[in-house]
């Protein structure tokens, strides 16, 4: 596994962990300030993982730098992570 692929797997694990924490949120009997805070947390997670300066954006740039025989696999891993 190349360095880029290892970074993709690391990012995927971090995203799944954070998403798991956010998915435990319940909206039953929640007050507006708490809901706003949770929505802000979700927005921050989105920016962290998919924004212009995110690790995902950096990894997309690395596709072109990968060895020709690894580019397709690297691109597929990144695309799977995005979806």
């Amino acid at each position: 596994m190349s360095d880029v692929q290892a970074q993709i797997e690391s990012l995927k694990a971090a995203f799944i962990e954070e998403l798991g924490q956010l998915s435990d949120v319940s909206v039953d009997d929640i007050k507006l300030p708490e809901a706003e805070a949770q929505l802000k947390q979700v927005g921050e997670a989105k920016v962290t993982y998919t924004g212009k300066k995110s690790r995902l954006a950096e990894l997309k740039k690395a596709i072109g730098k990968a060895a020709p025989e690894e580019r397709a696999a690297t691109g597929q891993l990144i695309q799977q992570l995005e979806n």
Side-chain angles (χ1 to χ4, degrees):
M1 181 182 297
S2 73
D3 183 46
V4 173
Q5 290 174 339
Q7 289 178 26
I8 292 168
E9 291 301 322
S10 171
L11 179 61
K12 182 178 179 180
F15 178 71
I16 289 172
E17 182 180 326
E18 186 162 345
L19 186 63
Q21 293 171 357
L22 293 173
S23 69
D24 292 338
V25 173
S26 172
V27 293
D28 297 333
D29 300 324
I30 192 169
K31 298 195 185 302
L32 184 59
E34 294 168 345
E36 289 173 337
Q38 290 175 356
L39 186 58
K40 183 178 178 183
Q41 202 174 14
V42 169
E44 288 172 355
K46 179 183 176 193
V47 170
T48 298
Y49 290 101
T50 63
K52 287 183 181 181
K53 296 181 180 180
S54 67
R55 285 177 50 196
L56 181 61
E58 301 255 339
L59 291 171
K60 285 181 180 180
K61 293 175 188 174
I63 293 172
K65 297 175 186 173
E69 61 273 3
E70 293 180 357
R71 282 187 191 144
T74 302
Q76 288 175 348
L77 282 173
I78 290 173
Q79 190 163 14
Q80 286 175 355
L81 187 60
E82 284 183 302
N83 298 329

